[in-house]
Amino acid sequence: MYVYLRKKLKRLTQANLDDWYLYRELNYHSYDEFAYHKATDWDIVNYIRHNLTNYDDELTRLANRVDRQEGFKLISRKIYAEILKVYPEYRTTIEKQLQEHLSR
């Protein structure tokens, strides 16, 4: 069951990437800087964060209530901790993305 869910998550992430390229009318089959790529762990964690959590909603909700930068860091810590609980196999990528977010 777990292998099936992981494959499904990768397929969903790839479909999301494909949509992203198509939506922006980029020729992702060309050999330019926007060249098509297969979903990586980085892309999968991004997909989880933006599509399987309330990350974006929380950022919007806090935008006018607290210091924007501190609110961003607070939400990032909280969301990445929850992602790590459910998807521990992405620990390295989650930790890298969190550090990137906290350094902004």
Side-chain angles (χ1 to χ4, degrees):
M1 180 67 140
Y2 177 75
V3 172
Y4 169 77
L5 293 175
R6 187 169 174 149
K7 287 181 180 180
K8 184 174 182 178
L9 180 60
K10 190 161 189 163
R11 279 194 315 271
L12 289 169
T13 301
Q14 188 65 58
N16 186 262
L17 282 172
D18 293 347
D19 288 348
W20 185 87
Y21 284 112
L22 290 172
Y23 177 74
R24 285 156 182 79
E25 297 179 3
L26 300 175
N27 181 2
Y28 62 88
H29 292 291
S30 67
Y31 296 98
D32 62 11
E33 63 182 303
F34 299 113
Y36 174 85
H37 71 275
K38 290 185 179 179
T40 64
D41 286 355
W42 191 272
D43 299 315
I44 291 169
V45 171
N46 278 343
Y47 178 81
I48 293 167
R49 183 167 36 93
H50 289 289
N51 297 285
L52 303 180
T53 73
N54 64 345
Y55 174 77
D56 295 315
D57 294 336
E58 287 295 310
L59 288 179
T60 300
R61 188 176 65 79
L62 287 179
N64 296 322
R65 293 186 177 185
V66 297
D67 176 52
R68 187 176 183 94
Q69 190 172 19
E70 287 307 309
F72 175 75
K73 289 179 181 182
L74 174 72
I75 295 301
S76 293
R77 283 188 192 99
K78 192 175 179 181
I79 293 293
Y80 279 110
E82 293 301 315
I83 293 171
L84 184 58
K85 285 181 191 176
V86 178
Y87 301 98
E89 66 273 21
Y90 297 112
R91 174 180 292 281
T92 302
T93 303
I94 290 166
E95 290 172 349
K96 285 179 183 177
Q97 282 193 17
L98 177 59
Q99 287 309 311
E100 183 179 293
H101 278 79
L102 296 178
S103 68
R104 291 180 184 170

